[in-house]
Amino acid sequence: MGKLLIITSNFFPDPVVGAVRATQWARLLPEHGWQVDVARKHHGYSATGAEVSEAVHPHIKVHFISDAPSPFTARRLGRLGPAKNAFAGFMGRFMAPDTGILFWTTAGDRLARLVGEIRPDAVITTGPPHSVHTAGMRLKKSFPDLCWVADFRDVYHAHMRREAGWMECCKTRGSLRHEAEVYRAADHITCTFPAHKRWIARRFPAVAGKTTVVTNGVPSEIAPMEPSHEPGRQTGWIKVVGFSEAPETVALASAVAAVRRSGETIGLRIVGRPPSVRPEITKILGSGAEFTGMVAHARALEEIASARILVTVLSEQRSRIPAIASKLFEYLAIPAPVIVLNPSNAARTMFSRLSGLWMLTKPAPAGIEAAILAALRAPEDELRRRALLVRERWSRSAQAAQLASILDDLVKKRDVSLETRQAAPGE
């Protein structure tokens, strides 16, 4: 059995979307012959060994490469949150590739000691943030025969703007240098959608042959899930699970209010971090709006399965980022109508032909209202066919098998190279 070290910022039980993919891989890769260790930051969320064994895998080992935030630090961050966020935003405008570079550079020695102890055959660095790949470059220098996969869930450059200031220009140049270094040093590169792979081939043709698309996908927990609302009834919650920090969420609330006035007994439920526009939403919908706050991934899946309609909200600016929200895969794997406000080009390309899906660009409340009314009338059989198609085509299990195949090939090539080098002196 091969030994793999996954280096990630987030992991179970962190209640953020960035923890899901690495957790799923750690659960599924042992089925394909890989023993998994995880090196991760500590964000203050903890789980016992028994909880990790039950939720992830009995034989996984988790190593923290940072200390847990102290209660004093947590209290300070609670009081100074806005100031801290403003400072981080200022620093993030020119630190390449992101502010995490400070942590991942200093964590290099600790990770090198860990690799020396557990002796993995391969290591995966997976973002966000992009700076996590700095750890991969450090390990590759110290352990040249270690197989390294740099996994990208996001692209480096969201979009270019003519009015970018000098700090952002400096960051772009620095990010390009970092990007080129990662691509050159990594043994393999995985990215989440075809456009990113094409960008790499065009901008860095020398590394195109070691790049593979491994999309986000549907977690195995969704397979047995069925909607908990009663089919055919025009009641329940329209749910936004995940990102909702956009003015379009207010337009959605206005549309829901209009549908409610027409006699439909539905409401709007925001699952995840409440948006800054919460007061406006509450003013529009009153008791017809609910906010859960941050929840664990298992709870988020339950919320998705019980929705009457699922909505993904992106701001107009965020929709320009070449990416596909991982929650969208989970939405589409449930037989419920899905509405996407301001879809990205990648999402339109991949999903536009699916049934039971409405995509609205620069949506006005009237357009959202029409989509909601149409979604309420969506045929149940079409929704079920779509859910089965998505589960089969974009399953996490299939992606784990794909990733295991990449790792197997890398280790096989590494071993052949080692044998060749060892045999060379005697020839």
Side-chain angles (χ1 to χ4, degrees), residues 184-268:
R184 183 168 51 250
D187 295 293
H188 205 85
I189 304 154
T190 55
C191 44
T192 191
F193 56 97
H196 190 189
K197 178 179 170 67
R198 291 193 296 269
W199 151 256
I200 294 173
R202 186 166 56 249
R203 184 64 178 80
F204 306 97
V207 305
K210 59 179 182 179
T211 306
T212 302
V213 175
V214 180
T215 65
N216 287 318
V218 181
S220 55
E221 298 95 320
I222 277 184
M225 285 186 168
E226 292 293 338
S228 57
H229 69 271
E230 185 178 335
R233 292 191 63 187
Q234 312 294 320
T235 60
W237 291 101
I238 296 174
K239 295 187 181 181
V240 178
V241 183
F243 181 84
S244 60
E245 186 58 50
E248 285 77 4
T249 310
V250 178
L252 172 62
S254 298
V256 173
V259 174
R260 284 165 62 87
R261 288 193 296 270
S262 71
E264 304 288 356
T265 52
I266 59 173
L268 178 62

Side-chain angles (χ1 to χ4, degrees), residues 5 108-123 135-148 185 187 414 421:
L5 176 65
D109 290 341
R110 186 179 296 190
L111 287 167
R113 288 194 296 270
L114 177 61
V115 167
E117 293 169 5
I118 66 177
R119 309 297 295 180
D121 296 290
V123 61
M137 288 191 287
R138 166 70 167 81
L139 293 176
K140 194 65 180 174
K141 289 179 180 178
S142 299
F143 306 92
D145 294 323
L146 179 65
C147 300
W148 171 33
D187 295 293
R414 188 271 313 272
R421 295 204 306 265

Side-chain angles (χ1 to χ4, degrees), residues 50 59 65 85-86 90 97 99 146 155 161 210 224 229 233 246 268 304 312-313 322 344 356 367 383 388 400 402:
H59 302 302
I65 50 176
N85 291 338
F90 172 77
T99 55
L146 179 65
V155 299
R161 294 184 292 110
K210 59 179 182 179
H229 69 271
R233 292 191 63 187
L268 178 62
I304 290 173
T312 290
V313 179
S344 67
L383 296 176
L388 289 174
Q402 181 186 13

Side-chain angles (χ1 to χ4, degrees), residues 21-102:
R21 180 184 61 267
T23 301
Q24 292 278 324
W25 284 354
R27 176 185 300 153
L28 295 168
L29 282 170
E31 298 177 7
H32 302 280
W34 284 90
Q35 176 186 329
V36 179
D37 283 61
V38 175
R40 55 155 306 180
K41 290 182 69 175
H42 203 316
H43 297 283
Y45 301 97
S46 59
T48 65
E51 289 171 334
V52 173
S53 177
E54 180 180 359
V56 186
H57 193 274
H59 302 302
I60 190 174
K61 296 179 182 178
V62 179
H63 311 267
F64 287 102
I65 50 176
S66 66
D67 297 327
S70 68
F72 172 78
T73 301
R75 287 195 299 269
R76 294 277 297 175
L77 293 179
R79 290 200 303 269
L80 302 178
K84 173 182 174 290
N85 291 338
F87 178 73
F90 172 77
M91 296 293 290
R93 292 179 64 187
F94 63 91
M95 293 189 70
D98 50 68
T99 55
I101 192 69
L102 299 174

